[in-house]
Amino acid sequence: MSCNNAPVIDRILGPLTPPDFDGVHFADQGDRLVLEATQPLVGIASGRFANPTVAASFGVGELAADNVSFVGFAYTQFALPVRVAPGGRFDFRPAANLSSPAAVMPLVLMSDDGRVELLAPLGAWHEQVIAVDQDDAIAGFRWGWHGDLADVPAGFRAELGIFTGTSIREVFDRWGGTIRTAAGTQRPGSDVDPLLTHLSYWTDNGAAYWYRTEPGADLTSTLQGKVAELDELGVSVRSVELDSWFYPHEISRPVAEVGYLEEVPPTGMLSWTPRADVLPGGVGGLRAELGDRPLVLHSRHISPSSPYLEQGEWWVDRAAHPVDPAFFRRWFDDAASWGATCIEQDWMMVTFFGVRDMRAVPGRVMDWQRGLDDAAAATGLHLLWCMALPGDFAASVELEQVIAVRTSDDYRFAADPALLWVWYLTVNSMANALELRVFKDCFFSSTPPDGAPSGGIDGDPHAELEALLAAMSGGVVGIGDRIGRTDVDVVARVCRSDGRLVGPDDAITLTDRSFATAGVDGNSLCWASASSGEWVYLVAINTAAEAQHITDSFDLAELGIGPEALVYDWRNRTAQPAASIDVDLDSRDWALFVCCPMSTDAAGHRSAVVGDPRRYATMGRSQVDHERLEIVAVDGEVGSLLRWSELNGLHH
């Protein structure tokens, strides 16, 4: 497997100190590092995940720390991105109820002279880490097998690729191409599941009906009422997600009327069967009430108190896991009979960190995930990864039924939603490299009514930005509105009238200039981009940590856009040729620009196709549906409208 590096670019990573451990061979091959066991190793665990027993070390002095910024993907839910400016330190506790071991994978290094380097796994997805040694500042890094790995067979091998380039997209694409080619996995197309092709309705954490019902109603009648309302509004929802409320837990949360949700620890499931007190008619009965729409069914880790433990052999810790991964096949058979098309495998972090035996021997986590993939293939179902760790992202290159991955924490999880916006825009870079469709989580489409609390379930003051970011996922888009609170105009910006999603070719990601800071430094905006062929969507968001007005400018050359491009200001409905964009935004405000290729006709008139300005992704996939496209003439009349049939194939 070749990393296919550009040899003219020097490595930022400095010399390494090899591990001093008998029975282990270490090699620095230039474009990769290798650790291989030359004999069986038993009982080598350090007792701490982020303290690898077998590791190569490199210090920050060798990295010219004053000139290098770092971005890592932490070992916690949704591969939390952590950043450090030159001379600083990583913050592995960015929120009060979230923490991570002091380890990352992959790790991005950005030198102030424009060089970019990505350290990323080439295999052994769940067994290798880059541990961070730091106090007031980074003291060094150690790459090796994580500290909970206890027994290693002879021949076990971990490789870390070193990819150098001049842009974030370049190094991620090179890594993704390398491991996808080596795996040889053929992913299903983007139209294999209604979850990817059409708007969906969600009941997960953050949605209106997560363990909640309308007053005087149960969950079945509440969801039936919501879906019926969407039908009446002309909002076509093709699938519905049932979250963890549908099956019993060790301590089950009550399902109660809106406005009340008792705090109960998120314990493991007892059985993957419908709760009789919530779904007396079963999952099939609920599906019938929802017009037989396909379902997305949530799954999580298993409680040590589950009756399942009476069957077969289990590893038991804070959570429980069957030794035989074929155990889960029964769930997929049930899901198929209930009318599901996808299983959302959630709480993957707890399966990994909650069952020590799972991570004590190489390959056990991969066996579990391959078993899920095999069961999905056998039953015609698909998988959505949720609360995945970095290794779970990378391991997906060997799995054919994983069609999408969540790339940020739960909607409305953070006191400041900008944390989640930045999270999503960063992790999407890794998902794109792996050719995974993404999901930012559900959102509310309407703003709160006058006098309603902004943190309630009747709306979101940032509804339009949430919708924009969801549409720009190029993957799953789901709403979670309460009855009476769907904004049809906002929903129409993410999909066609038949519910078919209109999005870019790949998920929106941070531009290079924003990757290191994500705009939270207060000096610049957060800039992110996506594309539909030659059309580039550029989003600017004021994500500064403190409320402040920011004026910023973006040079389109960074995205490879020439000075002759037409820049369409989506919110102001104006257009002009431009080589750079100047923006003034208040705290949490945003702007969207569509950068359009120009063409010149025989008479010398220049024009550009903007697309359909009613959509965020004006030239996105699935755009054509007897709907109008807008031609903006630079030296003629601005805003002339033509139907698709009149455009003579100008659409890419």
Side-chain angles (χ1 to χ4, degrees), residues 21 42-48 51-53 146-151 356 360:
F21 202 94
V42 179
I44 64 170
S46 71
R48 188 162 63 88
N51 182 24
T53 305
H146 67 68
D148 288 335
L149 199 60
D151 302 335
R356 178 174 287 271

Side-chain angles (χ1 to χ4, degrees), residues 118-372:
L118 174 68
L119 309 183
L122 300 178
W125 316 115
H126 303 101
E127 286 80 33
Q128 56 175 303
V129 298
I130 299 173
V132 179
D133 297 325
Q134 63 181 17
D135 189 3
D136 294 332
I138 299 174
F141 297 93
R142 288 174 294 147
W143 166 74
W145 306 333
H146 67 68
D148 288 335
L149 199 60
D151 302 335
V152 174
F156 171 66
R157 180 183 180 98
E159 296 187 28
L160 183 75
I162 304 173
F163 300 87
T164 58
T166 56
S167 75
I168 300 297
R169 182 65 181 258
E170 177 189 359
V171 294
F172 269 107
D173 283 352
R174 190 174 293 132
W175 169 57
T178 298
I179 61 176
R180 285 187 283 106
T181 299
T185 300
Q186 298 296 315
R187 291 199 187 281
S190 59
D191 60 349
V192 297
D193 195 294
L195 188 62
L196 294 180
T197 59
H198 289 76
L199 185 70
S200 51
Y201 185 81
W202 287 69
T203 65
D204 61 339
N205 188 11
Y209 300 125
W210 187 65
Y211 291 89
R212 296 185 181 95
T213 69
E214 283 296 316
D218 59 14
L219 255 176
T220 296
S221 59
T222 294
L223 295 181
Q224 190 280 330
K226 181 60 190 180
V227 170
E229 177 196 60
L230 292 174
D231 287 341
E232 293 173 3
L233 292 172
V235 176
S236 182
V237 167
R238 291 291 181 91
S239 58
V240 178
E241 185 260 5
L242 310 188
D243 209 70
S244 58
W245 50 263
F246 91 82
Y247 53 80
H249 300 173
E250 182 178 349
I251 303 176
S252 293
R253 297 176 187 262
V255 176
E257 292 184 355
V258 162
Y260 172 76
L261 181 61
E262 181 178 332
E263 287 300 320
V264 177
T267 53
M269 74 164 68
L270 291 178
S271 64
W272 206 63
T273 55
R275 282 175 61 173
D277 62 326
V278 177
L279 293 179
V283 174
L286 173 60
R287 182 174 182 242
E289 293 292 333
L290 300 179
D292 288 327
R293 285 172 168 83
L295 301 176
V296 180
L297 298 179
H298 182 279
S299 174
R300 67 162 56 187
H301 56 290
I302 298 172
S303 166
S305 301
S306 169
Y308 288 142
L309 272 67
E310 299 173 4
Q311 311 165 30
E313 185 180 358
W314 290 73
W315 293 306
V316 182
D317 198 343
R318 288 176 293 164
H321 196 83
V323 173
D324 184 359
F327 167 86
F328 295 101
R329 170 60 190 268
R330 69 188 74 183
W331 294 5
F332 288 79
D333 289 334
D334 286 343
S337 70
W338 292 337
T341 62
C342 185
I343 290 181
E344 177 194 9
Q345 182 58 54
D346 200 357
W347 291 89
M348 298 179 75
M349 175 189 71
V350 174
T351 299
F352 184 84
F353 281 117
V355 184
R356 178 174 287 271
D357 283 323
M358 284 284 284
R359 60 188 188 276
V361 175
R364 287 179 175 175
V365 179
M366 195 67 216
D367 287 345
W368 162 53
Q369 295 177 3
R370 189 172 286 112
L372 295 180

